[in-house]
Amino acid sequence: MNAEEELETSYNLVKQEAKLSFNDDEIYIEKFIRNPRHVEIQILADEHGNVIHLGERDCSIQRKNQKIIEETPSTAIDDKLRNKMGEAAVKAAKIAGYTSCGTIEFLVDNEKNFYFMEMNTRIQVEHPITEERTSLDLIKAQIKIAAGEVLKLKQKNVEFKGHSIECRINAENPSKNFMPCPGTITGLNLPGGNGIRVDTAIYEGYTIPPSYDSMIAKIITHGENRNEAISKMKRALEELVIEGVDTNIEFLFKIIKHPNFIRGNFDTSFIEKEFASGGKKHDS
């Protein structure tokens, strides 16, 4: 909706539908954020009232609200906004009395305003990039907090180094509307080297079942800066070989080398706009 009269008409229609469906016409309204960035803040909170944040992760490269590539730090925010979002995340966790690892997720608009979206009360798939940038073990921290230990790390002592990117490797076929491709892996070569990390449980002969999420591995790179992290990711994806099933490796490579991704010029609609045909666009 782009006009006040459209809002009024839709508002009345929704109230009528709510009344018919639930015998209650109370509704709530959310602000629509057009083409936002999806930025989340990692926190650690113990049962003794200590809460810190470990910086942000930009999760804007996604398809149908499913994250595909994440990175830290975000190219969309500056230090002032970063600190403000971190403070908001810490404050929210304290007010809620939350303990353990957790992630508070925000949408950031073109004017650098941020809006609370949700909180994930668990470790997340993309936590390795935070580990790489802070040199902290989040799983170990989570276990220690669960055991009742005091969080000894203070906010002022959290050190951020370089840039880190994660690509999710899925057993799917982008050219066939990202159709899942379960099956047996007949050949496998995992990348390695300085600044490259692979989190996976697959091996040659491993059978990918059809009943679960199609993600089978995560490739994480860390560099002194974003360009170095991107360069390492390109090499890692080139070295990665998974035979026997279709994967999204080539599709990820197209995203990583896309000019707008390299410039940091993207939002949550990036894949929809640039790769509407499952990666057939921008093949050069």
Side-chain angles (χ1 to χ4, degrees):
M1 292 178 289
N2 298 297
E4 185 175 342
E5 55 271 20
E6 290 182 87
L7 174 61
E8 183 176 357
T9 300
S10 297
Y11 175 83
N12 291 327
L13 287 173
V14 171
K15 285 183 69 72
Q16 291 175 18
E17 184 175 343
K19 181 69 173 179
L20 291 172
S21 300
F22 309 109
N23 197 32
D24 185 348
D25 66 355
E26 287 192 60
I27 63 173
Y28 68 91
I29 299 175
E30 293 182 323
K31 183 175 181 177
F32 175 67
I33 312 300
R34 190 179 300 277
N35 299 330
R37 293 287 280 258
H38 182 161
V39 180
E40 60 189 28
I41 305 292
Q42 175 73 60
I43 63 162
L44 291 175
D46 67 19
E47 60 185 44
H48 307 283
N50 301 302
V51 185
I52 63 172
H53 73 83
L54 303 179
E56 84 281 7
R57 295 187 291 256
D58 195 316
C59 308
S60 302
I61 303 296
Q62 50 188 256
R63 188 184 74 85
K64 293 186 176 180
N65 300 319
Q66 181 62 46
K67 302 166 186 174
I68 297 177
I69 297 176
E70 302 95 357
E71 64 178 304
T72 181
S74 171
T75 60
I77 64 177
D78 54 24
D79 286 340
K80 181 179 179 181
L81 180 56
R82 180 174 292 111
N83 292 333
K84 191 174 181 180
M85 292 177 70
E87 290 170 1
V90 168
K91 184 177 180 180
K94 285 184 175 180
I95 291 174
Y98 181 76
T99 62
S100 189
C101 286
T103 307
I104 298 184
E105 307 200 9
F106 300 96
L107 295 179
V108 181
D109 67 18
N110 293 330
E111 297 178 352
K112 307 301 182 183
N113 300 304
F114 64 96
Y115 306 86
F116 172 76
M117 184 171 62
E118 65 179 6
M119 181 176 185
N120 278 296
T121 55
R122 55 178 171 79
I123 202 75
Q124 286 193 269
V125 173
E126 59 270 26
H127 79 272
I129 59 175
T130 296
E131 291 185 331
E132 293 301 310
R133 189 161 181 250
T134 61
S135 299
L136 297 174
D137 187 329
L138 295 187
I139 305 302
K140 183 184 289 186
Q142 186 179 40
I143 293 171
K144 286 185 174 182
I145 289 171
E149 293 190 22
V150 175
L151 182 63
K152 296 179 181 179
L153 184 64
K154 305 300 181 182
Q155 189 66 62
K156 64 181 180 180
N157 300 126
V158 178
E159 294 186 24
F160 300 101
K161 296 180 181 179
H163 198 101
S164 191
I165 299 174
E166 175 181 288
C167 282
R168 302 190 185 196
I169 308 302
N170 298 330
E172 60 187 14
N173 189 327
S175 66
K176 295 182 179 179
N177 196 30
F178 297 88
M179 180 179 68
C181 297
T184 301
I185 295 174
T186 58
L188 179 65
N189 181 70
L190 299 176
N194 179 47
I196 295 178
R197 166 178 168 178
V198 180
D199 285 12
T200 187
I202 64 174
Y203 51 86
E204 190 171 320
Y206 175 78
T207 298
I208 302 168
S211 305
Y212 304 101
D213 187 279
S214 61
M215 188 180 72
I216 55 176
K218 300 181 293 185
I219 307 297
I220 304 101
T221 62
H222 183 262
E224 291 186 4
N225 52 54
R226 189 169 185 265
N227 286 338
E228 185 175 301
I230 291 174
S231 180
K232 289 182 178 182
M233 184 60 74
K234 288 179 180 178
R235 179 172 65 81
L237 292 174
E238 287 177 333
E239 291 181 5
L240 178 60
V241 177
I242 301 176
E243 298 177 339
V245 296
D246 292 327
T247 70
N248 66 335
I249 296 173
E250 184 179 349
F251 180 57
L252 290 168
F253 190 81
K254 291 175 182 177
I255 296 173
I256 287 292
K257 69 175 185 177
H258 192 286
N260 282 333
F261 178 83
I262 293 172
R263 287 193 290 263
N265 181 25
F266 55 83
D267 53 49
T268 55
S269 65
F270 176 77
I271 289 178
E272 180 184 350
K273 289 187 295 188
E274 302 293 347
F275 299 95
S277 56
K280 295 178 182 177
K281 189 177 178 183
H282 295 292
D283 283 346
S284 60

